[in-house]
Amino acid sequence: MRDPKVWRTEILAGLVVALALIPEAISFSVIAGVDPAIGLFASFTMAVTISVVGGRRAMISAATGAVALVIAPLNREHGFGYLVAAVILAGAFQIVLGALGIAKLMRFVPRSVMVGFVNSLAILIFTAQVPEMHDVPWPVYPLLAGGLALMVFFPKATRVIPAPLVSIVILTVITVAAGIAVPTVGDKGELPSALPVPGLPDVPFTLDTLTTIAPYALAMALVGLMESLMTAKLVDDITDTHSSKTRESIGQGIANIVTGFLGGMGGCAMIGQTMINVKVSGARTRLSTFLAGSFLMVLCIVFGPVVSDIPMAALVAVMVMVSFATFDWHSIAPKTLKRMPAGEIAVMAITVACVVATHNLAIGVVVGTVTAMVVFARRVAHLADVTAAVDPDGTQVVYSVTGELFFASSNDLVTRFAYATDPDRVVIDLTATHIWDASSVAALDAIETKYAQRGKTVEIIGLNQPSARIHDRLSGELTGGH
């Protein structure tokens, strides 16, 4: 951080993100049914707090649409006090889940789901801008085109100043100087004029209140952690660095508790703004995250009138550029699709479809991961094979089992043996396989039982140590004996 170039990059990145946060936070406030200042307060407190306690450097956390959708019914049915209480409880849940190691579940998210997550994110970022391009004054379109052109060509001249910041400033100067009437940030809602004040939620502290807010708080905690951990993993890949997902989980909880006590609507990692910070602006440290939140409040409180004049077209152009840069175009190239297994393509497509249909990244990731597990189980199940070799004297048959034995592959194992015609001595060689679960032990027990009913003996050989351990522990115990 002693390098002046790093300081410049981080400061300018924080400013660009702060500008991009304002309309988003206001929009999410509308979704949640609260005053725009509530969403802006949440973005300020989330970003500043997570910059200190979070695990992923340069990631932006603020008020988000996913969290707003979860808590909107609670605010509508019970009031703002219950929403704030739910935010605080959600933070407590996240700390507990983080301490219990929920971050370790991220290893079960396959690459095809991650690619689907990234592509659906890009689609959602773009579609969120469509209303700002529909039924608007005609000058919006040339302003939008000009903003995109600036962000494409300005970096060819210099990268000292982020192109999105240049685009926002130039378009704002043009619209104000020429008096062009187009939608502005100020049209989204009134900006706050003072810092948030800490306080307790205005709810009765009773068991009834707890049972009311707990389901919403748990849903918010899970959705927030899912989006935050997925975003952290994405930034890890982009920056080729590692981050502590456990610390990030606990940090998200702390940030939500702080936000709740300051009257904010809560939030989680913001993927679009994180992409602006990391991929477009080149930020890599916690300073950019801290400054994004700090600049947000300074812009609202000190420079509110100026910020209100920023044309929405400038911010829409930034987000369109972000969506284009975020999408993994290589994943849908014909050459890639030809080489990819059909199951992988299906998992990616299902993830994208679920996210776009529900506008909930967490649902898409869960459905995509479950689909990937089913595809994997089906694929591995077909790898289990049984071959028989009868001794020349006809007194013994040796069955060699290859592949992995688990619930999907062991279910039809029982049908692969010739019980009636086999010799009296049967050997089952498991040298080339591995027993993974109780279903496989039960299948082997069933095979021994069928042979025993015909007066034939079975010997199981070749078990590796882990397989022998699970077989010895469970054999004969699953069906009450042979």
Side-chain angles (χ1 to χ4, degrees):
M1 284 296 290
R2 292 181 180 179
D3 188 346
K5 290 182 180 179
V6 175
W7 278 90
R8 183 179 63 236
T9 299
E10 298 297 311
I11 291 170
L12 293 176
L15 181 57
V16 173
V17 172
L19 290 168
L21 276 173
I22 294 173
E24 295 271 295
I26 295 173
S27 299
F28 298 146
S29 299
V30 173
I31 292 172
V34 298
D35 188 82
I38 304 302
L40 291 165
F41 287 156
S43 296
F44 161 61
T45 55
M46 287 292 297
V48 169
T49 306
I50 206 69
S51 69
V52 178
V53 300
R56 175 65 257 175
R57 292 181 177 88
M59 192 165 77
I60 304 296
S61 290
T64 57
V67 169
L69 286 169
V70 170
I71 59 177
L74 179 64
N75 180 61
R76 188 168 55 246
E77 295 169 18
H78 298 279
F80 181 65
Y82 281 82
L83 181 150
V84 172
V87 169
I88 295 171
L89 182 59
F93 280 148
Q94 288 178 328
I95 292 174
V96 172
L97 290 170
L100 291 175
I102 192 173
K104 293 177 181 176
L105 295 176
M106 287 302 296
R107 74 179 107 175
F108 295 106
V109 178
R111 185 184 179 279
S112 52
V113 174
M114 192 69 191
V115 172
F117 168 82
V118 169
N119 290 347
S120 57
L121 155 67
I123 294 169
L124 287 185
I125 292 173
F126 180 81
T127 54
Q129 312 314 311
V130 172
E132 303 296 339
M133 296 183 277
H134 176 68
D135 196 22
V136 291
W138 69 267
V140 167
Y141 301 109
L143 286 172
L144 182 61
L148 290 171
L150 277 169
M151 284 183 285
V152 170
F153 295 109
F154 185 81
K156 298 181 184 300
T158 178
R159 291 184 178 271
V160 173
I161 304 174
L165 181 59
V166 174
S167 176
I168 291 169
V169 170
I170 290 177
L171 294 188
T172 303
V173 170
I174 290 173
T175 54
V176 172
I180 301 173
V182 291
T184 63
V185 170
D187 296 331
K188 286 288 182 180
E190 189 176 348
L191 302 180
S193 56
L195 289 170
V197 179
L200 295 173
D202 184 19
V203 293
F205 292 91
T206 62
L207 183 61
D208 185 54
T209 299
L210 181 62
T211 55
T212 300
I213 66 173
Y216 295 95
L218 182 59
M220 175 185 162
L222 292 173
V223 168
L225 283 181
M226 178 71 75
E227 292 213 17
S228 298
L229 294 175
M230 289 294 290
T231 306
K233 191 172 186 297
L234 179 59
V235 178
D236 286 353
D237 293 340
I238 292 171
T239 61
D240 196 24
T241 57
H242 176 71
S243 62
S244 171
K245 305 304 184 296
T246 297
R247 178 177 171 180
E248 184 61 41
S249 302
I250 295 172
Q252 289 290 329
I254 295 171
N256 272 305
I257 290 174
V258 171
T259 299
F261 281 119
L262 287 169
M265 58 180 275
C268 63
M270 283 200 82
I271 306 155
Q273 273 64 20
T274 297
M275 290 299 101
I276 293 176
N277 197 44
V278 175
K279 204 164 187 178
V280 179
S281 301
R284 292 293 183 271
T285 75
R286 299 180 189 278
L287 180 62
S288 58
T289 306
F290 177 83
L291 290 177
S294 302
F295 283 151
L296 175 63
M297 278 294 99
V298 172
L299 288 169
C300 290
I301 296 171
V302 181
F303 300 101
V306 176
V307 173
S308 295
D309 287 335
I310 295 174
M312 283 302 299
L315 298 174
V316 169
V318 172
M319 298 311 292
V320 168
M321 199 68 185
V322 168
S323 70
F324 183 85
T326 301
F327 197 93
D328 187 349
W329 297 100
H330 176 72
S331 68
I332 60 170
K335 186 188 295 184
T336 305
L337 294 176
K338 283 181 182 178
R339 295 179 178 178
M340 286 278 284
E344 302 280 317
I345 297 172
V347 168
M348 181 178 71
I350 288 170
T351 302
V352 172
C354 286
V355 172
V356 173
T358 64
H359 283 234
N360 191 317
L361 291 159
I363 291 176
V365 170
V366 170
V367 172
T369 302
V370 170
T371 304
M373 289 179 176
V374 171
V375 170
F376 174 76
R378 284 178 57 85
R379 187 181 302 159
V380 175
H382 294 307
L383 296 179
D385 194 24
V386 180
T387 56
V390 181
D391 283 0
D393 59 7
T395 60
Q396 175 180 288
V397 61
V398 177
Y399 284 95
S400 298
V401 182
T402 58
E404 304 300 311
L405 289 183
F406 67 113
F407 61 89
S409 61
S410 61
N411 280 336
D412 66 344
L413 188 66
V414 180
T415 65
R416 308 292 293 275
F417 295 81
Y419 303 100
T421 58
D422 276 343
D424 290 343
R425 177 171 167 75
V426 179
V427 176
I428 302 177
D429 186 356
L430 300 181
T431 303
T433 189
H434 186 101
I435 296 175
W436 288 103
D437 58 8
S439 297
S440 303
V441 178
L444 291 172
D445 282 356
I447 293 167
E448 291 186 77
T449 300
K450 287 180 178 293
Y451 277 116
Q453 289 171 347
R454 293 167 173 80
K456 300 175 182 181
T457 60
V458 175
E459 181 185 3
I460 295 176
I461 64 170
L463 287 170
N464 58 37
Q465 193 172 357
S467 297
R469 195 158 47 239
I470 189 173
H471 183 265
D472 292 344
R473 187 169 70 248
L474 296 178
S475 182
E477 302 296 329
L478 300 172
T479 58
H482 295 301

